[in-house]
Structure formats: C-alpha cells, structure tokens
Amino acid sequence: MLVVVAVLLPARVEAQVSLIRDAEIENTIRDYATPIFQAAGITPSSVDIFLINDKSLNAFVTPGMRMFINTGLLAKADSPLQVIGVIAHETGHIAAGHNLGRRDELDRAGLTALAAYLLGLGAAILSGEPGLGQAVISGGADIALKGFLSFTRGQEAGADQAAARYLEAARLDPTGLRDFFEVLSDQMVLQGINQDPYLTTHPLTQDRINFLNQAVQASPYAGQGVSDALIVKHKRMQAKLIGFLEPAQSVFRTYPEEDDSLYARYARSIAHYRRSDIDAALPIIDGLIAEYPNDPYFHELRGQMLFEHQQIEEALPAYQKAVDLLPREAQLRLRLAQVQLALETPELVQPALDNLSYVLAEEPDSARGWRLASVAHARLGDKGQTQLALAEMSFAKGAFREAVGQARAAQKILEEHTPAWLRAQDLEQYAEREFRREQDRKN
C-alpha cells in the first residue's frame, strides 16, 4: 500500500516534500542495500532508508545513519545495479563519517531550523502522519541545504573507492555505478536549472569517471548482471511507482493494453483504482492473484482498493491473507488492524490490538499505530492504556506539549510502578525536554 506523506516547507524553498511508504518497495530497496551494508561492516537495521517522491535523480545521506532516495532514481534506473551502485556510494559517505558533526555546524551557523527540517524528514515518514517535519526555514536556507548535503571532491572520490570495495566484497557487478555516473556526465553540459540535484551535491569529475571505468575493468564480477528474481522485483517496483505517481494516461501509454506482462497489469490496475474505476481495477488484480496466489502485495492492493471504496468487510480477508503470507511486515499488520477496527466488531478489537502491538514494537514512532492503539484500548475499556497511547501518539507527531499533559493524565489512572506507569513517567520527561528544546530554537 503506497502512502504519500507530505512534509510542508516554505514556498521560497520548496512547496512540499513528499515521502512515500510502501512495504514492497521498501523491502526491494532493503534487498539491494543489505549486502552493501554488510560489506561495509554496518548493521543493515541501523540504517534508516527513506523514499522521497521526486522525479529527479537524487540520493543523499544525513547524520543519524539516514539515507534518502528519490523515486525518480528508482523509476528511471535501467537495472537494479544502478540503484545498488548509488547505495554503495552513499554507504561510502556513511562509513567514512562525512556527515558527522554537521548538526553542530548548522547550530553554530544559526541554521537550527534547517537541521530540524533534515531530522523532520525522517520523523514524518516514521510517524506515518501527513504534515510532519514542518520547518520554518529562513531565506537562503535552500542554498545552505545544498551546501550541507554537498561533499568535497576528495570525499566523493573516497566514497567511489569505498563503493568499489563494497561491491566486490558483496560479489556484485560494479557496472551499474559506472553507468549511473555516465548518465550524469551527459548532463554536465546542461544549465544548472536543468541538472538533476545529484550533480549539485555530488560534484562529478573526469578523474572519478576514469576511476569507475578502471574499477569495472578490474572487477571479477563485471558483466555478470543480477539474478532474474532481482530484475523482477525492480520492474515491479517501477510499475508500482509509475502506477501510483504518474497521471493515468501516462501509465496507460507506458503500459498499453496489449502488454500482458505482470508489470503492465500491475500498473494498469493501480491507475484504474486511482481513477476510482474499481470495476476495471479489481478484475486485473484478481487475475494476478489467480496466477500468483501467494503474493502478499497483490492481496494487499486488493484490500486497499476495497477499503478505500468503503467495502470494508470485503477488504478484511484480503489484508488478512497478505499478513498470513508476510507476517513479519509491520505495514501490512497496521493496515489489517485499521480494517479490523473500522468494522467496529467487538471480537476483532483484541486481534487488532495484537497486530498493533507487533507494529509498535517494530516502529515505535508510528503515530498512526499509536492512534489506532488508543482506539482499541478505549473499546476494551482500558482508560489508562488509552491515555498512554495518546501520549505516545503526540510524542511521535512532535506535539510535545500535548504529550506532557497526556502522560501526566495516564500516570493518574495507571497503577503505580507498573511498566505502563513507568513508561508514562519516562514519556513525560522526554516530552518535556523536547518541548524546552523546541522553545529554545524558537527563541
């Protein structure tokens, strides 16, 4: 289920930054990134990867082990190897610590709002709530942002060298990274306004291109490509992105009716659904499910179509099947819990809460998860846990003042010294501290 989360910015910087969440796409990117992280000696789960809804070619890293990738890069990449190569390069920046201390640099420069924006990007997507990550950025901060994300030529060369090492250690073909930079090299003759932002923040030189050509020639894995399974995932990801993010007519031109491939049918079903033509969308997704009955993402999409067209009872078995097929995927469990609670059936409240408990253990910053948990606790008559869930929701959303009051209210209801009471006490302190920091930044 592809969800777009808006991060609002002042008009003089950018109208809006949109982040997306989708279990299938995120898992595909994880499949690309995991061997690279392991080759770099980085625990894969320690790196947060976020997807920005933007058509331009770009990727960047920020402090806190966070990597951002534009959907434009994913949609335009000719093969998984190009995306893997970019991930390897960005991992080189992370491993070398090129972003360490930059938050302090921003604070010293008086650009704390810019730092808050960069951190807010991650907060918005983790919380699953629109409008988060909002930052008031002063004039010229857009230039500071580009400067913050930029690297020196020496750092870029170092990241290239690291990427080549990681790709060889992971036994991966390095031609994708070389090919990606050749695409960027062709853009260097364009005026800056037409260039993809990757060139702005990652200065490209002939020496770097020469090094990558040499790395390809020296690699024992050059030319081996990737597995058929990874190519299928890549094409599915692109079909899903195009289906959800491009105008319907553009989708139908890219994937015409005579194209009977899995990818084309996937994209067309999404385009029909986005046009509210569920009568056209459902038969296509049902056909895919008939061919691939154990594909959790097809069942998820069917559930999404039905739920958003108010066919909630029919959506429940589709989401349940998706979770049965992929029980460790938190996003699927979150959507199933949402449907279970929407039905307002008493016997589904505890199963919904069980799903939400799993979700919140995996993603404790999910404001949407905490909101749904508060509904479930309220229906079960547990006032203390309801209040605590509301406090968690406010904290995840960055509404720290509200979180303080709700955590205090929870402590008055919960039994003293129980784990829930202690959590409410800790949450009050955390929220109060963050609220004071927020006030200091404003002053």
Side-chain angles (χ1 to χ4, degrees):
M1 179 175 179
L2 192 148
V3 178
V4 178
V5 183
V7 182
L8 305 178
L9 300 177
R12 70 183 302 166
V13 179
E14 204 168 343
Q16 160 176 310
V17 174
S18 296
L19 305 174
I20 69 167
R21 294 225 64 183
D22 180 80
E24 180 178 13
I25 295 173
E26 290 178 20
N27 286 335
T28 296
I29 298 303
R30 281 288 170 187
D31 288 344
Y32 292 175
T34 293
I36 297 298
F37 294 155
Q38 291 173 335
I42 296 172
T43 303
S45 60
S46 68
V47 182
D48 292 323
I49 302 176
F50 304 113
L51 307 177
I52 297 181
N53 179 17
D54 191 295
K55 292 183 178 182
S56 61
L57 299 179
N58 202 12
F60 59 90
V61 293
T62 65
M65 307 280 278
R66 290 177 166 181
M67 184 179 295
F68 295 82
I69 303 174
N70 279 17
T71 56
L73 172 60
L74 303 178
K76 296 173 186 175
D78 291 334
S79 79
L81 288 174
Q82 291 187 4
V83 181
I84 291 169
V86 173
I87 290 173
H89 177 89
E90 297 304 321
T91 301
H93 287 305
I94 292 175
H98 290 160
N99 266 320
L100 292 179
R102 287 190 166 196
R103 173 69 186 264
D104 293 337
E105 292 173 18
L106 287 173
D107 286 342
R108 286 194 297 271
L111 291 172
T112 54
L114 179 56
Y117 157 62
L118 289 168
L119 297 175
L121 278 176
I125 197 167
L126 287 172
S127 71
E129 293 291 335
L132 298 180
Q134 191 167 354
V136 179
I137 302 180
S138 60
D142 54 336
I143 298 173
L145 175 60
K146 291 176 182 177
F148 177 84
L149 297 175
S150 296
F151 296 102
T152 66
R153 291 184 177 184
Q155 288 173 328
E156 285 298 291
D160 291 340
Q161 293 163 13
R165 292 197 305 272
Y166 303 153
L167 290 166
E168 183 160 345
R171 300 183 178 183
L172 291 169
D173 187 340
T175 56
L177 180 60
R178 190 269 315 274
D179 292 347
F180 175 75
F181 281 117
E182 284 184 348
V183 171
L184 292 178
S185 178
D186 291 341
Q187 285 199 4
M188 290 178 67
V189 297
L190 299 175
Q191 295 295 321
I193 193 171
N194 295 318
Q195 288 180 343
D196 280 299
Y198 202 88
L199 276 173
T200 305
T201 56
H202 297 70
L204 188 61
T205 64
Q206 188 59 47
D207 286 343
R208 292 181 62 202
I209 295 173
N210 292 340
F211 168 78
L212 291 171
N213 280 322
Q214 293 168 6
V216 169
Q217 293 172 6
S219 173
Y221 308 107
Q224 73 175 11
V226 293
S227 67
D228 291 342
L230 212 58
I231 292 173
V232 169
K233 288 183 178 182
H234 188 75
K235 290 183 177 180
R236 283 183 57 147
M237 173 178 66
Q238 291 182 319
K240 198 169 196 178
L241 287 170
I242 292 169
F244 269 108
L245 302 178
E246 294 295 328
Q249 291 306 316
S250 177
V251 177
F252 297 139
R253 283 195 299 271
T254 305
Y255 299 100
E257 194 68 33
E258 56 269 22
D259 186 347
D260 196 45
S261 67
L262 178 158
Y263 323 110
R265 286 180 287 163
Y266 202 13
R268 288 199 302 268
S269 70
I270 294 168
H272 284 302
Y273 146 70
R274 288 180 57 228
R275 296 173 75 181
S276 296
D277 189 357
I278 195 168
D279 290 336
L282 275 177
I284 300 175
I285 197 65
D286 285 344
L288 288 170
I289 290 173
E291 292 181 40
Y292 306 93
N294 295 322
D295 190 302
Y297 306 117
F298 291 157
H299 290 282
E300 178 199 18
L301 180 57
R302 188 177 201 279
Q304 180 179 358
M305 291 177 179
L306 292 166
F307 180 74
E308 294 187 7
H309 283 81
Q310 303 305 310
Q311 299 181 40
I312 303 175
E313 289 187 12
E314 293 85 349
L316 180 61
Y319 274 118
Q320 185 63 65
K321 183 66 174 178
V323 169
D324 291 343
L325 290 167
L326 202 61
R328 298 178 65 181
E329 178 49 58
Q331 290 188 61
L332 298 185
R333 283 182 176 262
L334 179 65
R335 306 306 166 193
L336 174 58
Q338 183 178 13
V339 174
Q340 289 170 325
L341 292 175
L343 285 170
E344 299 185 358
T345 304
E347 56 265 27
L348 289 177
V349 176
Q350 187 58 54
L353 191 56
D354 293 341
N355 283 317
L356 291 168
S357 296
Y358 182 91
V359 170
L360 294 168
E362 293 291 312
E363 299 186 6
D365 295 321
S366 173
R368 182 172 298 174
W370 286 115
R371 178 178 59 80
L372 292 172
S374 72
V375 172
H377 285 301
R379 291 183 185 173
L380 293 173
D382 193 334
K383 295 182 179 179
Q385 289 287 357
T386 300
Q387 198 66 54
L388 178 57
L390 289 171
E392 296 275 14
M393 178 190 72
S394 294
F395 187 84
K397 290 171 63 176
F400 302 120
R401 186 172 186 176
E402 289 85 345
V404 170
Q406 289 162 341
R408 288 173 180 169
Q411 291 173 66
K412 294 177 181 178
I413 304 171
L414 293 164
E415 183 180 348
E416 289 190 13
H417 306 300
T418 60
W421 182 87
L422 292 170
R423 172 58 186 168
Q425 193 176 60
D426 289 343
L427 194 58
E428 177 192 352
Q429 295 174 0
Y430 299 151
E432 199 162 22
R433 180 188 63 198
E434 292 302 322
F435 178 68
R436 286 198 298 269
R437 287 180 176 175
E438 193 174 64
Q439 296 305 303
D440 290 343
R441 284 196 294 266
K442 289 180 180 179
N443 296 332

